């Protein structure tokens, strides 16, 4: 699983000192083998490579949303314009969160230091979210994905209950 979420350079450089043996008698289930074959095919096709044009287009979209929000909120005097500015700012924050997720996984430039710096700078300045907090929370999400009691990414109380079971907890 580690290889699925990290570059070969990471696990070839950092993991060898922790190797205490290799499992050779574990069965490889058909669905796992299928997943491995699909992943290799996607790698061969280059589908995990980042297209920078995609992020340039996204940046232009984010800039348009942000500029619209600022213009409507600061340059206009009507209440409706201010309300529209708030809606544009909400869309901007929602859209930027998707980019923040990508940069938190170092999948924008694939350079940890660069993505971490940009994420920390923009995430804190425009979103009010610490990159360190997000990574801790999101790594927990990957460990206990969609566990109602343990996954911080699906615990939205008191705004939204994912299941009635959560309401039974003290």
């Amino acid at each position: 699983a580690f290889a699925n979420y990290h570059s070969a350079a990471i696990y070839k450089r950092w993991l060898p000192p922790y190797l205490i043996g290799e499992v050779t008698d574990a069965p490889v289930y058909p669905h796992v083998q299928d997943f491995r074959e699909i992943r290799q095919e996607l790698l061969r096709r280059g589908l995990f490579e980042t297209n920078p044009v995609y992020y340039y287009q996204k940046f232009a979209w984010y800039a348009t949303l942000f500029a619209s929000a600022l213009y409507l909120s600061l340059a206009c005097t009507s209440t409706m314009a201010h309300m529209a500015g708030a809606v544009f700012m909400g869309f901007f924050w929602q859209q930027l969160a998707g980019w923040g997720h990508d940069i938190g996984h170092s999948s924008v430039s694939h350079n940890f230091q660069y993505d971490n710096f940009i994420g920390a700078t923009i995430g804190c300045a425009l979103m009010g979210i610490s990159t360190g907090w997000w990574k801790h929370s999101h790594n927990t999400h990957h460990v206990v994905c969609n566990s109602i009691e343990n996954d911080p990414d699906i615990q939205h109380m008191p705004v939204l209950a994912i299941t009635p079971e959560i309401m039974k907890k003290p």
Side-chain angles (χ1 to χ4, degrees):
F2 191 87
N4 289 328
Y5 301 106
H6 299 84
S7 70
I10 297 292
Y11 61 81
K12 286 179 180 176
R13 178 178 177 193
W14 297 104
L15 290 184
Y18 301 103
L19 180 65
I20 58 172
E22 294 190 26
V23 177
T24 58
D25 60 347
V28 177
Y29 297 103
H31 71 281
V32 173
Q33 185 59 37
D34 290 345
F35 175 77
R36 289 177 180 170
E37 289 171 11
I38 290 169
R39 182 176 183 276
Q40 288 305 310
E41 176 63 18
L42 296 175
L43 282 167
R44 187 187 66 72
R45 291 184 188 182
L47 296 177
F48 290 122
E49 298 302 317
T50 301
N51 180 356
V53 173
Y54 171 79
Y55 286 105
Y56 297 146
Q57 291 170 336
K58 294 303 266 180
F59 180 77
W61 171 240
Y62 302 151
T64 300
L65 288 172
F66 190 65
S68 298
L70 290 179
Y71 175 77
L72 291 166
S73 299
L74 301 175
C76 297
T77 58
S78 77
T79 301
M80 288 307 293
H82 290 174
M83 297 299 281
V87 169
F88 273 85
M89 186 58 78
F91 284 146
F92 168 73
W93 282 331
Q94 185 274 334
Q95 292 288 295
L96 198 62
W99 174 81
H101 178 270
D102 290 353
I103 208 151
H105 279 288
S106 296
S107 61
V108 173
S109 74
H110 300 282
N111 178 316
F112 175 79
Q113 285 81 12
Y114 179 77
D115 282 352
N116 195 51
F117 174 77
I118 297 299
T121 304
I122 293 177
C124 289
L126 297 178
M127 300 286 289
I129 295 175
S130 158
T131 304
W133 171 86
W134 181 86
K135 286 184 178 190
H136 180 270
S137 174
H138 200 65
N139 286 341
T140 303
H141 159 74
H142 279 284
V143 171
V144 290
C145 193
N146 296 330
S147 166
I148 295 167
E149 289 84 16
N150 301 307
D151 186 346
D153 283 5
I154 65 167
Q155 293 180 8
H156 307 291
M157 292 298 289
V159 177
L160 176 66
I162 302 300
T163 175
E165 297 297 317
I166 203 78
M167 299 305 287
K168 296 177 183 174
K169 303 290 180 191

